[in-house]
């Protein structure tokens, strides 16, 4: 009997060695390899990388102070005329005689700040709600998910406008929190669904069978394996956050400080008011918003396809 058992173990070891894939790679390494070969991901990464670099080094790249008024620009300002491109001012002047090119560069910094902070706040709150709902289930899950359903039933921009309108005074921070709250139910439902799928996975059942505490199962097994889809969604949500923040500023619900260079504010205050006089005041910030949002969308979609196990070859 012992000899038969030894032969069975030897046979199992032989089969294990035969089926082992010495060249196998992890899911994340395989996803990174496919991202490098995906032209859509490359284009998105280049756009995002350029945007981040311009935002970080804006004070070094911008040729002028974004709030400084220039005599050579202000003397030609009239109600029906705003100076265009001149020597030293490639994008011309804004309605107050400031260098519009410098304001566009500094506007990338404010746009990045609003988008990143709103996405991080929404991600944190959404992960918290989704983790609690997915870990406890039962009535806790029902209450939290019905709350997210109510939020998802409203159009995101309408909900953001309502939240900003409820504030006593609009500011940059009211825009950030309004855009963040709008994204919370998206992250919460996504993480909750992933964690519910993890509850019945083999490694979680094995951990329960071995007597591992439920808290450790949630924090060490379920939550880490459920965050991948949420992180990918954060990339896509960043594009939505930029668009929503720009829309709020365009509607006059953003930061009222006209000296602050922000693309949405520039599009709403200057571009809309002086569109017939100088439409470039609207074209430049609108194009910048569209390109940056497109870059994050392309990168996020490529990451989603790369991480999806169904796409592995």
């Amino acid at each position: 009997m012992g000899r038969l058992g030894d032969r069975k173990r030897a046979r199992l070891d032989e089969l294990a060695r035969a089926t082992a894939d010495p060249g196998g790679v992890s899911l994340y390494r395989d996803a990174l390899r496919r991202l490098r070969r995906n032209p859509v991901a490359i284009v998105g990464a280049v756009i995002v990388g350029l945007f981040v670099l311009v935002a970080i080094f804006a004070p070094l790249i911008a040729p002028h102070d974004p709030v400084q008024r220039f005599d050579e620009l202000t003397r030609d300002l009239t109600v029906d005329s705003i100076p265009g491109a001149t020597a030293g001012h490639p994008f011309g002047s804004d309605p107050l005689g400031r260098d519009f090119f410098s304001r566009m560069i500094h506007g990338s910094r404010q746009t990045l700040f609003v988008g990143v902070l709103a996405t991080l706040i929404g991600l944190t709150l959404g992960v918290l709600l989704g983790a609690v709902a997915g870990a406890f289930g039962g009535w806790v899950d029902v209450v939290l998910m019905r709350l997210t359903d109510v939020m998802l039933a409203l159009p995101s921009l309408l909900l953001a406008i309502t939240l900003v309108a409820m504030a006593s005074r609009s500011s940059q921070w009211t825009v950030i929190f309004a855009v963040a709250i709008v994204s919370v139910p998206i992250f919460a439902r996504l993480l909750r669904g992933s964690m519910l799928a993890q509850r019945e996975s083999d490694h979680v059942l094995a951990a329960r069978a071995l007597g591992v505490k439920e808290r450790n199962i949630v924090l060490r097994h379920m939550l880490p394996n459920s965050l991948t889809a949420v992180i990918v969604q954060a990339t896509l949500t960043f594009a939505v956050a930029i668009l929503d923040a720009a829309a709020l500023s365009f509607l006059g619900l953003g930061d009222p400080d006209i000296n602050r260079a922000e693309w949405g504010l520039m599009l709403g205050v200057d571009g809309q008011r002086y569109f017939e006089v100088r439409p470039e005041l609207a074209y430049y910030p609108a194009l910048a918003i569209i390109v940056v949002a497109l870059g994050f969308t392309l990168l996020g979609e490529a990451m989603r396809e790369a991480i999806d196990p169904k796409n592995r070859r």
Side-chain angles (χ1 to χ4, degrees):
M1 188 69 180
R3 186 176 299 175
L4 179 61
D6 292 339
R7 284 201 300 268
K8 288 183 177 180
R9 282 194 294 270
R11 179 58 178 167
L12 289 175
D13 293 339
E14 182 181 352
L15 290 173
R17 287 191 296 270
T19 57
D21 184 7
V25 295
S26 65
L27 174 63
Y28 298 105
R29 184 175 297 179
D30 182 67
L32 181 60
R33 176 180 59 82
R34 283 187 280 119
L35 278 175
R36 291 174 179 173
R37 299 178 180 178
N38 189 343
V40 174
I42 294 174
V43 172
V46 169
I47 295 175
V48 172
L50 289 176
F51 168 63
V52 173
L53 288 176
V54 170
I56 293 175
F57 298 104
L60 301 178
I61 299 175
H64 304 288
D65 187 339
V67 299
Q68 180 182 357
R69 300 185 181 185
F70 295 88
D71 294 336
E72 63 270 23
L73 297 177
T74 55
R75 67 168 174 258
D76 296 327
L77 282 176
T78 64
V79 178
D80 299 324
S81 176
I82 297 177
T86 59
H89 306 285
F91 283 6
S93 170
D94 76 341
L96 296 179
R98 299 171 295 191
D99 181 61
F100 198 66
F101 180 66
S102 299
R103 292 186 62 79
M104 282 293 301
I105 293 177
H106 279 270
S108 64
R109 170 170 284 194
Q110 290 298 323
T111 301
L112 179 65
F113 174 74
V114 172
V116 167
L117 204 55
T119 302
L120 287 178
I121 294 174
L123 176 64
T124 302
L125 296 177
V127 166
L128 180 62
L129 291 179
V132 171
F136 290 96
W139 66 269
V140 176
D141 180 31
V142 173
V143 172
L144 292 179
M145 288 303 102
R146 296 299 78 78
L147 178 62
T148 59
D149 288 341
V150 172
M151 297 177 66
L152 288 173
L154 298 174
S156 60
L157 183 58
L158 178 60
L159 179 59
I161 293 174
T162 303
L163 294 174
V164 173
M166 292 173 60
S168 57
R169 180 177 179 272
S170 62
S171 66
Q172 187 180 42
W173 289 102
T174 59
V175 172
I176 291 174
F177 283 110
V179 175
I181 295 300
V182 167
S183 64
V184 168
I186 300 174
F187 292 121
R189 289 198 67 86
L190 184 59
L191 182 62
R192 178 252 187 186
S194 298
M195 291 192 67
L196 290 180
Q198 288 289 327
R199 288 175 67 91
E200 305 301 326
S201 60
D202 294 340
H203 67 279
V204 172
L205 295 177
R208 286 200 181 97
L210 292 174
V212 179
K213 293 182 179 179
E214 190 67 24
R215 182 185 62 183
N216 292 333
I217 292 176
V218 172
L219 297 179
R220 296 183 181 181
H221 296 277
M222 295 173 60
L223 186 59
N225 288 291
S226 303
L227 285 176
T228 301
V230 178
I231 294 174
V232 173
Q233 181 62 41
T235 307
L236 297 171
T237 302
F238 191 94
V240 178
I242 292 177
L243 294 175
D244 286 346
L248 292 175
S249 297
F250 178 80
L251 295 173
L253 299 174
D255 193 345
D257 185 4
I258 60 175
N259 289 322
R260 190 185 300 276
E262 195 269 320
W263 289 344
L265 185 64
M266 295 163 66
L267 177 63
V269 175
D270 298 336
Q272 184 182 18
R273 185 179 303 172
Y274 299 96
F275 185 81
E276 295 183 358
V277 177
R278 188 159 177 260
E280 291 88 348
L281 296 178
Y283 291 159
Y284 291 144
L287 182 61
I289 292 171
I290 292 172
V291 171
V292 171
L294 177 63
F296 278 100
T297 302
L298 293 177
L299 183 59
E301 289 293 342
M303 290 175 61
R304 175 180 293 176
E305 293 179 2
I307 293 178
D308 190 352
K310 297 178 182 179
N311 294 327
R312 299 192 73 182
R313 296 292 183 265

